[in-house]
Amino acid sequence: MFAPTYPIFVCLAILIALAPFSVAAGPIDGDAFGNWRVSCEIEAQGGRKGCFIIQNLVLREGGQRVLQFAIGYVTESPDPVALLSLPLGISLPPGAEIQIDDHPPKRVSIERCEPNGCRAGLLLVSEILQMMRTGKQLSIKFYDAKRQPIEVPLSLDGFEAGLAALTPVTS
């Protein structure tokens, strides 16, 4: 009498057990999208704080990081932001510039320097996002202590897919 319903209960139990895994939970720390990698911040209580797509440029010899370019969402804006981490010892007054392909460069102010590098941020408004989605290369220019320019190229391969995988932060 109970035999015909047994397979239904087994299937239902399997579906309930697998349900949390079938829902997309956003990107996972370490996911790759072309030249971009996902980096997620975790709160002390074990909750997920937010994820960014990043590119790190490191020196071949010694592995020292020269630049980190991170893009993600913050609670203060519905638009994504770019966060730059530049090396210590650079000239601060000229700031930095971001240029996408042959488009005019956008100036970025360096906000502060900390023991692990200097920080700058840029709100990625629709105009800049569109250039990044269709572009091939992004260049970042900053200046050394002698005010000599240092230009660092980054690939935009995988940018659009990586950004689409991120979830805007809601307050």
Side-chain angles (χ1 to χ4, degrees):
M1 177 166 150
F2 293 102
T5 58
Y6 181 73
I8 293 171
F9 286 122
V10 170
C11 290
L12 186 59
I14 291 171
L15 286 174
I16 291 170
L18 294 178
F21 301 107
S22 64
V23 176
I28 297 171
D29 195 44
D31 279 354
F33 297 93
N35 290 311
W36 299 86
R37 298 259 183 266
V38 174
S39 177
C40 296
E41 297 175 356
I42 306 298
E43 290 181 338
Q45 296 84 8
R48 192 170 168 165
K49 187 173 182 182
C51 294
F52 290 82
I53 53 173
I54 65 168
Q55 278 193 54
N56 284 315
L57 185 70
V58 296
L59 294 174
R60 285 189 183 149
E61 293 181 22
Q64 179 185 359
R65 186 176 78 197
V66 175
L67 174 115
Q68 181 182 71
F69 194 84
I71 297 172
Y73 291 94
V74 294
T75 56
E76 293 81 22
S77 171
D79 294 320
V81 295
L83 304 171
L84 284 79
S85 185
L86 302 163
L88 292 173
I90 62 174
S91 181
L92 300 178
E97 291 180 349
I98 295 175
Q99 184 172 8
I100 302 159
D101 295 333
D102 294 328
H103 296 284
K106 302 280 183 201
R107 189 173 188 288
V108 181
S109 296
I110 298 170
E111 297 168 3
R112 68 186 182 281
C113 292
E114 300 170 344
N116 58 349
C118 297
R119 308 279 183 250
L122 175 68
L123 183 64
L124 298 178
V125 294
S126 60
E127 174 192 2
I128 298 171
L129 279 174
Q130 185 57 34
M131 287 188 280
M132 291 179 76
R133 286 183 173 118
T134 59
K136 300 286 183 212
Q137 181 174 299
L138 180 142
S139 296
I140 300 165
K141 186 191 296 184
F142 54 95
Y143 298 84
D144 67 13
K146 297 178 182 176
R147 294 205 179 180
Q148 297 299 310
I150 298 169
E151 192 163 335
V152 180
L154 298 176
S155 171
L156 290 171
D157 177 44
F159 166 76
E160 188 168 12
L163 185 63
L166 298 179
T167 305
V169 176
T170 56
S171 38

